[in-house]
Amino acid sequence: MVSEIDYGTPRRYSDTDVTLTIDGQSVTVPAGTSVMRAAVEAGVNIPKLCATDSLEPFGSCRLCLVEIEGRRGTPASCTTPVEAGMQVRTQSDRLQVLRRNVMELYISDHPLDCLTCAANGNCELQDMAGVTGLREVRYGFAGANHLQDKKDESNPYFTYDPSKCIVCNRCVRACEETQGTFALTISGRGFESRVSAGESQSFMDSECVSCGACVQACPTATLQEKTVIQLGQAEHSVVTTCAYCGVGCAFKAEMKGSEVVRMVPYKDGKANEGHSCVKGRFAWGYATHPDRITKPMIRAKISDPWREVSWEEAINYAASEFRRIQAKHGRDSIGGITSSRCTNEETYLVQKLVRAAFGNNNVDTCARVCHSPTGYGLKQTLGESAGTQTFASIDKTDVVFVIGANPTDAHPVFGSRLKKRLRAGAKLIVADPRKIELVSGPHYKADYHLPLRPGTNVALLNSMAYVIVTEGLAADSFIAERCEQKAFEQWREFISRPEHAPEATEAVTGVPADLVREAARLYAAPGNSAIYYGLGVTEHAQGSTAVIGIANLAMLTGNIGREGVGVNPLRGQNNVQGSCDMGSFPHEFPGYRHVSDLAVRSQFEAAWHVTLQGEPGLRIPNMFDAAVDGSFLGLYVQGEDIVQSDPDTQHVAKALSAMECIVVQDIFLNETAKYAHVFLPGSSFLEKDGTFTNAERRISRVRKVMKPLAGYADWEATQLLSNALGYPMNYSHPSEIMDEIARLTPTFAGVSFDKIDAMGSLQWPCNDEAPDGTPIMHVGEFVRGQGRFIITQFVPSTEKVTRKYPLLLTTGRILSQYNVGAQTRRTENVHWHHEDLLEIHPHDAEDRGIKDGDWVGIESRAGNTVMRAQFSSRMQPGVVYTTFHFPESGANVITTDSSDWATNCPEYKVTAVQVSHVSQPSEWQRSYSRFSEQQLALLREREMAAAPAGAK
C-alpha cells in the first residue's frame, strides 16, 4: 500500500523558525506549527483521534495530551502551538493512564465487533486502543448506549452507522473546511450527540454532494464505502490520475488483486491535495460494467449484425478499407479524431498515424467544440495556448472573476478550493445568465452577479475595460513595460469610444450599468485579481473574441505573471489540454507549431522518416460537410462520441451515414459506434500507462492497475493499425512515446516518466530554461515577448430571438454526470440525475401553460426534441437551460451550425428556441429510438452468435 504520513495538523508557513525539544530531541519548525506536527516531524507519533492534517485542529478527543515543562496540566498537542525553548514530554505514566481512561470511555459505547467490522485492519480507534494499552473496559453496556442506532444506507456509495460514531467531528469539519457544503452537523447535546445530515435527514435527502470527504476523514467504520464492506480491505494500492474533468485529481486505486476496492484521493496529489468529488471518488464502476465490449467487431454495412473477430482481422480489415478509399477517392478522403479522455501518448500516436500513415493533416479533437477559442485567443495575446496559473494560486487571490464557468458542478474539487478562499475573505464577481451556486452559498456570497444575456460576453468585457481605461484604473507601468505600445494605443482608442460605456451596452447585455462599473472597479483594485472562465465563454460565435477580451483585461490591470492572478481556462475533460498540446489540430504539430513552418516540419519528417503535408487539413465540421458532399469517406475515432457531443445532431448523423468506413475505438457501443463499421475495444484509465495534462498544464502519471480487458491499451491498438497501413511503429511502452514527444516538442523537452515519478507531476514548459517545470506563466515577460492588445469588436450572434423562437437556450453540465454520460450513466450516479431536464423560469412557463414536470417540446431552426420541464428561479426570464448527458434527450438536435469565427467552435450557448407543452416524443426521438433499438439488437445478435450453444 502507498503509505501517507498523517501529521495531525496542517502545515504552517512562516518566515520565523522555532526550536523546541520533544522527548529530549531538538526540533526546528515554522512558527505556528502545532506541537503534534512538530513531534511527527521528529519521528514521534502522539496518539490522536480527532486530529488529521487535512483539517484545522479541534482538540476534542483528549488523546493527544502532552506534558510541557513549566506549564500546568496536560494540554492537547494538536491545539498547542510551539514556542521557542519549549520542552515537551509525550510519554509518561501519567499520560498513559489519562489516555487509557479516555479510550475506555470511547469503547464503553462502541460495538466490540472488530473481527466482523468492515474497518478491521484500517481503523484508527482500533489502533489507538492498542497504542494506549487498553485491555479491559470497566463500564460495560448495561447503561444507555447507541449500539442499536439504525444505519443510513440511503447513499449508494457509503453507509452511515451511528452506533460506531465517536463524535470526533472530523466528518463535519471535512464537509465544512474541505468541501464547503456544510451538509453535516452534530445534533443533540451530551450523550445524545450524533452526526446528522441536514436536519436529521438521510444522506440522500440532505445537501450532501457525496464528495467522500467525510468518509475519508472518518477514523472508524461509521462512514464506510459499500465496496469495502462487500470486498474487504485492500491489499495494495497504485497512485494514478482521475479520468473525468480537467482538474486532474490524483487517487490511490486500492486493490485486491486486479479488482478495485475503492479510489482514495491522494494527499500528495498536486492538483487536489487529498480532496475529491462524487465522480472521481465513487463513479469508477463503469470500467468493469457489463456493457463493456472487449472483442473487436466488424461489419460491411451498419444494417448488418456485428461479427466478433480477432484483433488481427479487425485491424487488417480497417487498414484495407482505408487504403481502398484513398486509392479510389484520394489521399485526403480519410481522417482521424483524437480523444481528450485518452493519454497524451495515445493522442500523440493518433495524430502521428494521420499525418504519417494516412499522409494528410485531417486530424482534429473534441477541443474543437469546447476550448479551441482558448488556444487561439491566448496564443494571439499572450503567446501560449494555455492557462497561466496553478490551482493553488487561488489562495493568493483577492478578487475572483468567474465568467461562463460553473466550477462547483464541472470542476468540483477546484470549486471547493475556490469557496474556501471566498470564506477567507476574497471578493467575487460572477458573470453568468444563471444564478450558479457560486452566486450565493454557505458563508459566502458574490459581491456582484452580472446576469448577462447569452451571447453578449464580448460587450460585457468591453464595457468593463471601458470603465477601467476611462476612470484611470489601468496598470500604466505594467503596460508600458510589458506590452506592445502601438497595439495598446490602438486598442485604447477603440475601447474608449462611448459605444462601450456600460450605459450604452446595458440594453445589449441586460446588466445594469452601475453593476458593471462597480465590478470593473473591484477587478481593477490594487491587489491580486484572477479570471476563471469556461465553456460559457468559448462556445459562442465570438468565443475567440471573448478570450482575447479576457486577456486584454488581465494585461490592462497588470494581473498576470505572479501568484494569485492570471487567465485561467477551466478545461472540461481530463486531457483536453493534453490533446491540444499533442498536435491534435489540423494546422499544428505538437507544441502548437504550424504545419506550414518548414523548419518544424523538417524536424518531424527526419524523426518520422516520412514526407509530411504543409497545408492544414480538415476540421471536424469540414469533415462532416465533405462527407455529405461525398469526398470524405473514412474516419478513425478514438474515444469520442461526436454524434452526441457535436452540434446539429442530424447533420452529424447524415455525415456519418455517408461514410464508407468508420472505425471507432471505445469501451462502449456509444452513439457514434452505432454508425461504425469497425469497433476496436478501448481501455479505461485503469488499464493503461501514460500521462494526462490538466487545466493548469500539470502533467501527471496514469498508472495501470489492471490488465486491459480487451488485451490491448489504446496506444497499442493505434500502433497495430499504423503497422497494418505500412507505416511502422514499434514502441514497447508509453514512456518511449513520451521520450519522442520530449525530443520533438520544446515545451516538453525536460519531461520523462522518471522525472514525473520523482517529482509527482510537472507543469510545462519543462526544458533547460525551466528544468522543474513552470507553475506560473509569463513571469517577467510574455511568451511572445510583449503582450498584445487586440481590438474586440462586438458582433451580435446571428441566433436572435424572434416571434417564432422567443427564448434563448443555453447548455451546461451537472455535478453527478460527465460530458455525454457514457461513463457516469453506468454508475450509481444516476440516483442524482437520471435524465436531462429543461430549466425554465416560472414566468416563461406560466405564459405557455406549462407546469413543473410537464413534458415540453423545444424547437429551434435546427430541429426539435422533448424533455421534462423543471421550474427554476436560477434562470432569468427569456432564457432556458439544459444539460446533454443523455442521448435520448437530443440536446444537440436543437443546437445549430453557428460557430466561432476563428476556430469553428460551436455556439452551444446561444440557440433561439420555442418551448411548448406536448404529450409525446419528437419525431427525431422516435427515429432515434428505432435506430438505437435496431443497433442494440444487432449487437445482441453478435452476442448470441458468440455465446455457447447451450446459452442461446
Side-chain angles (χ1 to χ4, degrees):
M1 298 286 285
V2 177
S3 60
E4 297 172 275
I5 297 173
D6 189 338
Y7 291 87
T9 63
R11 180 188 298 274
R12 303 303 186 200
Y13 298 91
S14 175
D15 295 331
T16 305
D17 285 341
V18 172
T19 300
L20 68 157
T21 301
I22 300 178
D23 291 344
Q25 181 178 347
S26 179
V27 186
T28 300
V29 293
T33 301
S34 70
V35 169
M36 175 180 283
R37 187 177 183 102
V40 176
E41 295 192 7
V44 177
N45 290 308
I46 300 173
K48 64 184 187 300
L49 278 173
C50 73
T52 184
D53 57 13
S54 63
L55 302 172
E56 290 300 317
F58 193 62
S60 71
C61 76
R62 312 309 295 168
L63 269 188
C64 69
L65 307 177
V66 294
E67 295 174 339
I68 300 175
E69 188 170 312
R71 187 175 298 188
R72 297 178 59 186
T74 51
S77 61
C78 65
T79 55
T80 303
V82 297
E83 295 178 6
M86 180 183 278
Q87 296 189 37
V88 179
R89 195 161 46 249
T90 70
Q91 300 294 332
S92 70
D93 291 342
R94 177 191 182 198
L95 292 172
Q96 187 72 1
V97 169
L98 289 171
R99 291 169 181 163
R100 188 183 301 126
N101 287 342
V102 169
M103 276 303 303
E104 193 174 359
L105 290 170
Y106 278 121
I107 298 302
S108 71
D109 188 21
H110 194 86
L112 298 179
D113 59 352
C114 291
L115 292 180
T116 58
C117 178
N120 186 25
N122 188 22
C123 173
E124 294 179 47
L125 186 69
Q126 191 180 60
D127 294 341
M128 291 305 103
V131 167
T132 59
L134 183 65
R135 298 293 176 261
E136 60 179 346
V137 180
R138 291 168 287 172
Y139 308 112
F141 299 133
N145 60 61
H146 297 87
L147 301 187
Q148 302 305 315
D149 286 7
K150 186 179 179 181
K151 294 180 182 179
D152 178 0
E153 301 275 11
S154 64
N155 190 286
Y157 292 122
F158 60 83
T159 295
Y160 169 53
D161 184 353
S163 73
K164 297 182 177 179
C165 180
I166 60 173
V167 201
C168 65
N169 241 288
R170 272 165 57 164
C171 59
V172 177
R173 290 148 55 209
C175 190
E176 295 175 359
E177 297 177 26
T178 306
Q179 171 56 29
T181 297
F182 293 80
L184 304 182
T185 187
I186 300 294
S187 62
R189 301 181 66 182
F191 175 78
E192 299 301 329
S193 298
R194 272 296 175 268
V195 172
S196 173
E199 297 182 6
S200 299
Q201 298 169 294
S202 70
F203 270 81
M204 279 300 283
D205 292 336
S206 73
E207 294 179 350
C208 169
V209 294
S210 297
C211 69
C214 60
V215 182
Q216 178 81 351
C218 182
T220 68
T222 305
L223 289 159
Q224 185 68 275
E225 298 95 333
K226 291 183 176 179
T227 52
V228 174
I229 296 172
Q230 177 186 356
L231 300 173
Q233 294 295 327
E235 61 186 19
H236 71 279
S237 63
V238 179
V239 176
T240 189
T241 303
C242 180
Y244 279 117
C245 79
V247 174
C249 296
F251 279 87
K252 289 191 300 181
E254 295 196 350
M255 313 287 297
K256 293 187 78 169
S258 61
E259 186 170 24
V260 179
V261 174
R262 63 178 176 180
M263 298 290 285
V264 179
Y266 187 44
K267 188 168 65 177
D268 291 333
K270 300 298 189 293
N272 59 318
E273 297 180 350
H275 191 34
S276 60
C277 78
V278 62
K279 294 189 286 288
R281 182 69 157 88
F282 297 117
W284 40 266
Y286 70 87
T288 53
H289 193 276
D291 286 352
R292 280 286 300 267
I293 299 175
T294 58
K295 299 289 179 60
M297 306 184 299
I298 63 175
R299 59 183 178 178
K301 304 189 300 293
I302 67 170
S303 57
D304 293 341
W306 284 105
R307 183 165 63 90
E308 277 191 1
V309 296
S310 67
W311 272 97
E312 182 180 17
E313 184 175 351
I315 291 292
N316 287 338
Y317 180 78
S320 66
E321 282 293 282
F322 283 153
R323 284 197 297 264
R324 176 188 65 79
I325 291 169
Q326 285 187 304
K328 183 176 180 180
H329 299 282
R331 182 192 62 202
D332 296 328
S333 59
I334 65 174
I337 296 177
T338 74
S339 174
S340 292
R341 288 195 285 274
C342 289
T343 65
N344 285 317
E345 296 73 19
E346 289 164 340
T347 302
Y348 175 85
L349 282 201
V350 173
Q351 64 86 31
K352 181 177 180 179
L353 169 87
V354 172
R355 300 187 201 281
F358 289 4
N360 60 49
N361 287 318
N362 293 338
V363 62
D364 211 345
T365 184
C366 81
R368 170 70 56 209
V369 300
C370 61
H371 267 287
S372 52
T374 286
Y376 180 86
L378 297 187
K379 186 78 169 181
Q380 295 297 312
T381 52
L382 310 181
E384 194 56 274
S385 302
T388 63
Q389 312 294 120
T390 64
F391 289 137
S393 174
I394 193 72
D395 296 340
K396 302 289 181 66
T397 303
D398 302 306
V399 177
V400 184
F401 180 19
V402 177
I403 176 170
N406 188 4
T408 55
D409 274 17
H411 305 85
V413 169
F414 173 71
S416 293
R417 186 162 200 156
L418 171 55
K419 289 190 292 184
K420 186 174 184 177
R421 179 63 190 141
L422 298 176
R423 295 196 303 273
K427 303 293 186 181
L428 174 65
I429 304 164
V430 173
D432 200 289
R434 302 167 73 223
K435 292 179 182 176
I436 60 173
E437 182 186 335
L438 283 179
V439 172
S440 182
H443 305 288
Y444 68 85
K445 184 178 178 64
D447 295 84
Y448 300 103
H449 175 217
L450 313 179
L452 73 170
R453 292 194 184 99
T456 62
N457 289 328
V458 172
L460 176 69
L461 292 166
N462 283 348
S463 64
M464 291 181 69
Y466 173 92
V467 173
I468 294 168
V469 169
T470 58
E471 294 189 5
L473 304 176
D476 296 331
S477 59
F478 178 91
I479 296 166
E481 179 184 352
R482 300 280 307 269
C483 301
E484 293 180 4
Q485 289 307 296
K486 183 177 180 181
F488 171 68
E489 289 166 6
Q490 291 174 338
W491 176 83
R492 182 175 57 188
E493 186 280 324
F494 160 80
I495 209 68
S496 301
R497 295 173 187 170
E499 67 202 60
H500 298 129
E503 291 74 17
T505 59
E506 181 175 337
V508 174
T509 65
V511 183
D514 59 336
L515 277 185
V516 175
R517 286 190 175 275
E518 291 170 13
R521 291 165 187 156
L522 178 60
Y523 175 76
N528 293 334
S529 294
I531 301 176
Y532 291 84
Y533 71 91
L535 305 185
V537 164
T538 57
E539 292 179 342
H540 287 271
Q542 281 202 291
S544 293
T545 311
V547 173
I548 291 169
I550 286 171
N552 287 344
L553 269 186
M555 292 186 292
L556 179 64
T557 55
N559 279 304
I560 203 146
R562 63 182 187 276
E563 278 196 293
V565 300
V567 175
N568 304 278
L570 295 173
R571 302 284 188 163
Q573 296 189 58
N574 56 299
N575 201 37
V576 72
Q577 179 69 61
S579 69
C580 299
D581 299 341
M582 292 300 103
S584 293
F585 289 129
H587 66 292
E588 289 176 335
F589 287 119
Y592 305 100
R593 291 164 295 164
H594 205 278
V595 295
S596 64
D597 187 319
L598 180 60
V600 172
R601 194 167 71 251
S602 298
Q603 182 186 12
F604 281 92
E605 288 177 337
W608 293 352
H609 309 293
V610 68
T611 300
L612 300 173
Q613 297 302 309
E615 292 294 323
L618 298 176
R619 298 172 174 180
I620 290 175
N622 306 135
M623 294 180 190
F624 295 156
D625 292 342
V628 172
D629 291 341
S631 60
F632 186 84
L633 298 167
L635 183 64
Y636 173 44
V637 186
Q638 181 197 63
E640 290 295 334
D641 192 355
I642 51 179
V643 171
Q644 190 178 341
S645 64
D646 282 37
D648 198 353
T649 300
Q650 295 178 93
H651 180 64
V652 176
K654 183 179 180 182
L656 296 187
S657 297
M659 295 187 198
E660 296 180 3
C661 183
I662 296 173
V663 179
V664 168
Q665 187 172 334
D666 216 298
I667 60 178
F668 301 115
L669 191 80
N670 60 24
E671 302 308 304
T672 304
K674 293 172 182 176
Y675 291 87
H677 306 89
V678 179
F679 186 93
L680 302 178
S683 54
S684 73
F685 79 110
L686 296 172
E687 301 157 53
K688 60 180 68 172
D689 283 300
T691 58
F692 293 151
T693 306
N694 75 349
E696 47 175 3
R697 296 170 285 104
R698 186 180 302 281
I699 310 163
S700 300
R701 285 278 279 114
V702 182
R703 295 180 177 89
K704 182 164 62 177
V705 304
M706 63 175 71
K707 292 181 179 179
L709 299 186
Y712 291 110
D714 291 325
W715 68 271
E716 294 174 298
T718 302
Q719 180 166 279
L720 289 172
L721 180 58
S722 185
N723 291 337
L725 285 165
Y727 181 77
M729 292 186 187
N730 298 294
Y731 307 97
S732 61
H733 190 269
S735 61
E736 297 175 4
I737 305 174
M738 177 54 76
D739 291 343
E740 179 174 312
I741 294 167
R743 288 194 297 271
L744 293 171
T745 312
T747 49
F748 278 67
V751 178
S752 68
F753 277 29
D754 287 344
K755 192 163 190 175
I756 297 172
D757 289 343
M759 297 188 64
S761 65
L762 289 167
Q763 288 176 269
W764 67 261
C766 179
N767 45 34
D768 290 342
E769 290 75 32
D772 294 333
T774 309
I776 306 295
M777 293 278 284
H778 312 296
V779 176
E781 68 174 0
F782 290 99
V783 171
R784 68 183 308 279
Q786 290 191 311
R788 179 184 173 205
F789 283 84
I790 298 176
I791 289 173
T792 51
Q793 182 67 52
F794 172 63
V795 178
S797 170
T798 56
E799 276 293 297
K800 295 180 174 65
V801 293
T802 63
R803 181 174 297 179
K804 185 175 182 180
Y805 303 119
L807 302 174
L808 285 178
L809 169 75
T810 189
T811 63
R813 300 181 180 183
I814 199 165
L815 172 63
S816 60
Q817 293 293 336
Y818 172 69
N819 205 35
V820 296
Q823 295 150 278
T824 43
R825 281 187 278 112
R826 291 176 170 90
T827 71
E828 299 294 337
N829 280 28
V830 293
H831 286 277
W832 287 278
H833 189 78
H834 65 275
E835 64 178 326
D836 292 319
L837 301 169
L838 184 78
E839 290 187 25
I840 184 169
H841 193 279
H843 291 171
D844 290 328
E846 183 180 2
D847 290 344
R848 290 160 176 79
I850 296 168
K851 297 178 181 178
D852 194 20
D854 279 354
W855 290 104
V856 293
I858 309 107
E859 181 180 3
S860 73
R861 62 181 173 87
N864 62 83
T865 191
V866 172
M867 298 180 195
R868 200 184 302 274
Q870 181 181 59
F871 286 7
S872 174
S873 58
R874 294 193 300 176
M875 306 307 305
Q876 55 184 288
V879 179
V880 292
Y881 171 88
T882 191
T883 52
F884 51 90
H885 305 303
F886 293 81
E888 61 271 17
S889 299
N892 282 323
V893 171
I894 46 182
T895 52
T896 69
D897 59 0
S898 177
S899 66
D900 174 50
W901 62 272
T903 66
N904 279 133
C905 183
E907 192 172 33
Y908 292 111
K909 305 306 182 189
V910 188
T911 304
V913 299
Q914 177 61 287
V915 176
S916 57
H917 185 276
V918 298
S919 57
Q920 59 185 2
S922 69
E923 177 55 40
W924 175 86
Q925 285 171 313
R926 289 193 290 268
S927 174
Y928 164 78
S929 180
R930 289 192 297 268
F931 176 74
S932 187
E933 287 174 7
Q934 177 192 37
Q935 289 301 315
L936 293 175
L938 294 173
L939 181 65
R940 285 192 296 271
E941 289 183 35
R942 176 272 310 178
E943 292 169 344
M944 293 289 285
K952 293 185 180 180

